[in-house]
Amino acid sequence: LTLVTTFFLHAGLLHLLGNLYFLLVFGDNTEQALGRGGYLALIFLAGVVGALCHALGDPRSDIPLVGASGGISGIIVYYALQFPHVRLAFMIRWYFFFFRLGVRWALALWVALQLFGAWQQINGYSNVSAMGHLGGAAVGLAFYFFARWRASAPVKPSRATPRHG
């Protein structure tokens, strides 16, 4: 039960708003690509796998896992792979400097930051669950390849379908 309830808890208002922002930016296109059922399956499985990866990757952690970041990480990875030509706009916080970056490069940078964060988490330098983010990201990757495989599979005619000829 904890694997599911952790998804609805957050460390504060900014944590909740940050997760909602990423869900708003990437979630609608991902839901449109996967359909409502596929989208719900992706976010649920990515959240559960993210929580499991957190527990397995940092078993000595006495800080409880909170947040939907594992599920949202799965959505981000699926989005970046499904829509590879999108360019994202970023704003540097204090300077109001905008720049654009292709979603592929943004994903590569994000994965690199998560790998560094996982090293920090494992060594006790951080209480952010990068292991949970990477677990959710792995589910997003699996969903992307499964959706591509399903789209390329030949459709076999059903015996119940009448043939006209």
Side-chain angles (χ1 to χ4, degrees):
L1 186 60
T2 303
L3 294 174
V4 176
T5 58
T6 188
F7 191 83
F8 299 101
L9 303 173
H10 287 80
L13 184 60
L14 285 178
H15 185 214
L16 175 63
L17 291 175
N19 278 343
L20 288 173
Y21 173 75
F22 282 100
L23 193 59
L24 177 68
V25 170
F26 300 108
D28 61 340
N29 295 110
T30 303
E31 181 181 11
Q32 190 175 27
L34 286 173
R36 183 169 289 147
Y39 177 76
L40 290 174
L42 169 60
I43 198 167
F44 177 77
L45 287 173
V48 170
V49 170
L52 287 171
C53 286
H54 169 77
L56 296 173
D58 192 5
R60 60 187 166 78
S61 175
D62 58 349
I63 300 171
L65 178 66
V66 295
S69 300
I72 293 171
S73 295
I75 288 173
I76 288 171
V77 169
Y78 182 88
Y79 177 92
L81 296 172
Q82 181 67 29
F83 306 105
H85 301 295
V86 170
R87 295 188 57 80
L88 302 174
F90 293 89
M91 182 178 85
I92 304 297
R93 224 186 299 190
W94 296 283
Y95 303 110
F96 297 105
F97 174 73
F98 288 92
F99 68 97
R100 291 191 173 274
L101 186 64
V103 73
R104 290 178 180 173
W105 287 105
L107 179 62
L109 178 63
W110 181 82
V111 169
L113 289 172
Q114 297 312 309
L115 290 171
F116 179 67
W119 175 82
Q120 288 180 317
Q121 180 185 357
I122 290 167
N123 289 299
Y125 300 128
S126 175
N127 62 357
V128 174
S129 181
M131 298 297 289
H133 295 168
L134 290 170
V139 173
L141 180 69
F143 260 71
Y144 172 73
F145 283 114
F146 179 73
R148 282 192 57 176
W149 173 77
R150 268 187 68 197
S152 68
V155 178
K156 296 179 183 177
S158 170
R159 289 182 180 217
T161 305
R163 295 185 184 182
H164 302 286

